[in-house]
Amino acid sequence: MDNFTKKHLQDILNAIDDIETFFEGQPKLFEEFCRDIRLQRAIERCIEIIGEAMNRILKENKDIAITSVDILWSIVVNHLPRLKNEVEKLLQE
């Protein structure tokens, strides 16, 4: 594996590790997540880093097998349409 891919895989791993440390010593509760805007923004940034790294890897090596692509696709197909509908309805009120 080339150094370019290794560097970006390490970026993904670091972002995942960061997210895990945000919850260190405490349960992952959705209610707490909703109340903590700093936690939300920190996790959003880590997810952004993961997405950027995956994009760069796949531009260089389309054959790499990693499930985060499946996760990102699931967000696009399953979650974004629901979010879009909710936002459109709210804007029409």
Side-chain angles (χ1 to χ4, degrees):
M1 180 180 305
D2 62 52
N3 286 335
F4 177 87
T5 301
K6 285 182 182 178
K7 184 247 186 258
H8 290 295
L9 288 173
Q10 189 61 53
D11 289 345
I12 292 169
L13 188 58
N14 291 343
I16 292 168
D17 288 344
D18 286 346
I19 291 171
E20 289 174 349
T21 64
F22 300 154
F23 295 99
E24 205 165 55
Q26 58 187 353
K28 294 177 184 162
L29 300 174
F30 183 67
E31 297 79 21
E32 291 295 321
F33 175 74
C34 289
R35 283 192 282 255
D36 190 341
I37 191 70
R38 288 179 288 180
L39 177 61
Q40 291 174 32
R41 296 297 183 254
I43 291 175
E44 287 171 6
R45 179 63 184 135
C46 289
I47 298 295
E48 182 180 358
I49 290 168
I50 292 167
E52 289 173 2
M54 281 305 307
N55 187 40
R56 290 181 179 143
I57 290 169
L58 292 174
K59 281 183 180 179
E60 293 292 318
N61 183 355
K62 295 183 186 331
D63 297 327
I64 197 159
I66 196 160
T67 60
S68 70
V69 173
D70 298 339
I71 294 166
L72 294 172
W73 185 247
S74 175
I75 291 169
V76 168
V77 172
N78 298 314
H79 300 284
L80 288 181
R82 186 174 69 205
L83 176 61
K84 181 180 179 180
N85 285 334
E86 290 171 355
V87 170
E88 287 176 341
K89 286 179 184 176
L90 287 169
L91 286 172
Q92 291 174 358
E93 290 179 358

